[in-house]
DNA sequence: TTGTACGCGTTATCAG
DNA sequence: CTGATAACGCGTACAA
């Protein structure tokens, strides 16, 4: 391994026969440099393979040009068949790439990881921190914000101690559309498989269910899941037991809806003839399920892009950053309901 | 958002009534500081919420205490039902956590991303770079190594321009064990579903297949896949068409093996009665397939841990870092073969 | 045991 | 348009 010394600005300057200042200007794309000199400097940079020392640079600029995306989950959860994280990462990545910022992914399933991320950010490793999801009343976003670090969350934080800008989708509106569709179809015993109640997405979809059924004057039937397919299977079995006469089920995630489809099939119920099923997400796979899943589409990648844009504004010092952006959801009707 | 000034060493020193040097010593855990002073300093640190400026610190120490793990894939590939990446990330994460180093994940599916990672590393953002996989003759590992940046790869790099330390598993040995098992079981028409031939894992498993069948004096039958389940389905159909009389198939990944199981079922072949199937990976789900999958176990998380350990040694300047570590594989016999 | 003083590699502010 | 020169915040010989 060649442990050659890294060339400095000084070295480039000597080789090009100019001052450090001039080299710095060229490297940073200043226009006020004579063409001939610029060329000489660029040649020297090339020959020496010069790359600016990030530590020195950010010591004076106060910037690192890299931004963290926190995945407050364990590796097992992040990397599963749940396509939420990939989608949000794609959205964030695309927007940051366009802005030439480096995306830094950090998983913090454990408590210790949580604390290390805090130090990492406060120490100035990154210019800002985005959260891909929030569990319970996670203090970290507020903590960082109070430190003056730009923070944006995906999903409304449950604690708004110092209010942190967030991007979310219209959960309630999506659920309402789903329930309306079921009611219009003549369904009268509409159950739900709720998401985890330590996450705003889970809570708001359940709240939306409550509100919609109340408006429609229909009886409720709730089972608890955690967004995963397995939990959908278990919850559906539970529902069938407690409400054998149900004729529809709204699952708070596509994966749980798929689990429900499977459990219904196992129980000999036909979808949608006996039981209508609606999910929430609109993952790719939902187009190919049996039957294809009617579901509430939420623009996850778009949420990621939006989150990144807000972050870039925050970093740029834009005072006009909206405290929240809520993206619309949309009912996608296929065969299951 | 409180944009309070970040306290510096100087501020802490003033408050504690000591010099900057002393504060620095306390913060870095030097033992040569009087207990009373240490306490006063710690109190000041606490009160001010002081956290060392990473840029300033690494400007002098030449270290950042964070290490990158490159996933040279798109988000779609990284976050799929392939459990390779989660496993390796878990292994790496555990080892780095113990060493109190921060793990930084970077995905570089695109060409541009590739280049940005190079600059990121060369600029000194991280102390070292690990690669979770390698495609073709990726020049990046060598490029970084030549720059004097510690590099470790998971999987033998196809180009060893400057030889880069790597951790891999015994592909050939695993394949040989699988084929031996099939032959001993009386199978005589053993096909294979090969992995992508731009990755060493794909190449070596196919090479191993060639060698094993040659040794056994049996005819070959090869179809091409890319480690995914879908490619396994397609490849199996292809094989059945070209070799209707095959009585066994070795798939170079568990996911492809699962695809093969499905295709065989669709074709009305019984497993293992008509066709024996063996995979490669031993993912959790392979215990629950129908039938449970006989497969070659490769210790992925252990490879991640080993890779991290090698990296830590490299960073510590240990001259005794092995140029390569090859972990054993093991045939796990279940019901499919 | 503690403090002084220098240097790490850049950028930015001034003169020239 | 270019070149000195002063920060930026910290670690660490060296001196006290």
């Amino acid at each position: 391994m060649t442990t050659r010394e890294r060339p400095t600005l000084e070295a480039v300057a000597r080789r090009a026969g100019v001052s450090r200042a001039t080299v710095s200007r060229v490297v940073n794309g200043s226009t006020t440099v004579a063409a001939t000199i610029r060329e000489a400097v660029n040649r020297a940079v090339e020959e020496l393979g010069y790359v600016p020392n990030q530590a020195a640079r950010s010591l004076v600029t106060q910037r690192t040009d890299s931004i963290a995306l926190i995945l407050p989950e364990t590796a097992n959860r992040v990397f599963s068949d749940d396509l939420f994280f990939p989608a949000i990462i794609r959205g964030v990545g695309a927007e940051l790439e366009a802005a030439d910022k480096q995306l830094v992914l950090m998983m913090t399933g454990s408590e210790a990881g949580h604390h290390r991320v805090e130090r990492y950010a406060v120490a100035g490793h990154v210019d800002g921190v985005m959260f891909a999801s929030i569990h319970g009343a996670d203090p970290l976003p507020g903590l960082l914000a109070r430190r003056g670090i730009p923070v944006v969350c995906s999903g409304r934080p449950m604690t708004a101690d110092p209010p942190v800008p967030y991007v979310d989708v219209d959960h309630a509106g999506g659920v309402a559309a789903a329930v309306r569709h079921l009611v219009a179809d003549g369904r009268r015993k509409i159950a739900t498989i709720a998401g985890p109640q330590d996450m705003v997405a889970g809570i708001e979809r359940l709240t939306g269910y409550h509100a919609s059924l109340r408006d429609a004057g229909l009886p409720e039937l709730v089972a608890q899941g955690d967004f995963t397919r397995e939990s959908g299977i278990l919850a559906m079995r539970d529902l069938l037991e407690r409400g054998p006469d149900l004729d529809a089920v709204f699952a708070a995630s596509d994966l749980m809806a798929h689990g429900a489809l499977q459990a219904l099939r196992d129980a000999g119920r036909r979808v949608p003839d006996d039981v209508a099923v609606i999910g929430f997400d609109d993952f790719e796979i939902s187009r190919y399920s049996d039957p294809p899943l009617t579901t509430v589409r939420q623009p996850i990648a778009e949420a990621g892009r939006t989150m990144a844009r807000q972050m870039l504004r925050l970093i740029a010092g834009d005072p006009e950053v909206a405290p929240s952006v809520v993206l619309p959801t949309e009912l996608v009707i296929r065969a299951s309901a």
Side-chain angles (χ1 to χ4, degrees), chain A:
Chain A
M1 222 169 53
T2 326
T3 312
R4 175 175 43 179
E5 294 292 306
R6 268 178 56 190
T8 72
L9 211 51
E10 177 70 35
V12 177
R14 266 202 310 273
R15 183 168 194 118
V18 296
S19 74
R20 287 206 312 266
T22 298
V23 177
S24 176
R25 281 190 269 265
V26 172
V27 168
N28 292 298
S30 166
T31 52
T32 71
V33 177
T36 60
I37 294 206
R38 191 207 320 277
E39 255 175 54
V41 170
N42 279 329
R43 193 165 43 245
V45 165
E46 198 67 33
E47 290 168 355
L48 266 45
Y50 170 75
V51 172
N53 179 316
Q54 182 57 41
R57 174 178 268 178
S58 57
L59 182 56
V60 40
T61 61
Q62 308 272 44
R63 288 183 302 99
T64 66
D65 290 328
S66 58
I67 298 173
L69 176 63
I70 309 295
L71 310 172
E73 316 276 348
T74 62
N76 281 331
R77 169 109 173 64
V78 173
F79 300 89
S80 60
D81 50 358
D82 190 332
L83 297 174
F84 178 82
F85 292 108
I88 206 150
I89 290 174
R90 262 202 313 281
V92 166
E95 202 68 25
L96 291 191
E97 183 140 3
D100 201 32
K101 303 285 184 190
Q102 178 60 52
L103 173 60
V104 170
L105 256 38
M106 306 182 87
M107 298 185 327
T108 63
S110 68
E111 188 56 39
H114 227 69
H115 189 251
R116 285 230 313 295
V117 164
E118 179 188 346
R119 278 189 67 92
Y120 188 83
V122 174
H125 263 295
V126 289
D127 298 339
V129 177
M130 297 176 293
F131 288 80
S133 66
I134 306 276
H135 284 272
D138 191 336
L140 193 46
L143 229 150
L144 296 176
R146 228 170 297 137
R147 287 278 197 168
I149 297 171
V151 173
V152 183
C153 295
S154 165
R156 179 169 59 77
M158 295 179 65
T159 163
D161 192 349
V164 170
Y166 68 89
V167 176
D168 208 340
V169 303
D170 181 13
H171 302 285
V175 177
V179 172
R180 269 200 307 274
H181 177 71
L182 292 171
V183 172
D185 191 40
R187 311 286 172 167
R188 289 297 175 268
K189 192 73 190 277
I190 305 172
T192 192
I193 302 177
Q197 296 300 298
D198 73 330
M199 301 184 72
V200 168
I203 294 171
E204 295 207 345
R205 290 173 203 171
L206 180 54
T207 307
Y209 168 84
H210 288 317
S212 296
L213 285 230
R214 187 171 354 93
D215 289 353
L218 295 175
E220 300 187 356
L221 182 57
V222 179
Q224 186 63 46
D226 64 3
F227 284 155
T228 66
R229 182 191 307 267
E230 291 66 34
S231 76
I233 296 175
L234 296 177
M236 190 69 240
R237 284 187 198 145
D238 179 32
L239 288 175
L240 285 173
E241 196 158 315
R242 287 159 46 210
D245 58 335
L246 60 84
D247 57 11
V249 57
F250 163 71
S253 78
D254 271 15
L255 250 33
M256 292 196 298
H258 288 134
L261 288 180
Q262 183 175 328
L264 286 167
R265 191 164 37 240
D266 293 348
R269 309 287 181 112
R270 291 166 307 164
V271 176
D273 308 35
D274 300 333
V275 180
V277 176
I278 297 187
F280 200 113
D281 275 326
D282 192 23
F283 288 149
E284 176 78 8
I285 48 165
S286 298
R287 310 173 56 144
Y288 307 114
S289 57
D290 178 24
L293 189 69
T294 292
T295 186
V296 178
R297 172 171 189 276
Q298 60 167 336
I300 305 176
E302 177 60 30
R305 274 194 297 276
T306 305
M307 183 163 64
R309 273 197 296 271
Q310 298 294 74
M311 173 54 73
L312 292 171
R313 287 204 192 113
L314 231 41
I315 288 176
D318 187 336
E320 304 270 317
V321 178
S324 73
V325 176
V326 176
L327 302 175
T329 49
E330 171 196 8
L331 183 64
V332 178
I333 297 173
R334 299 204 180 92
S336 71

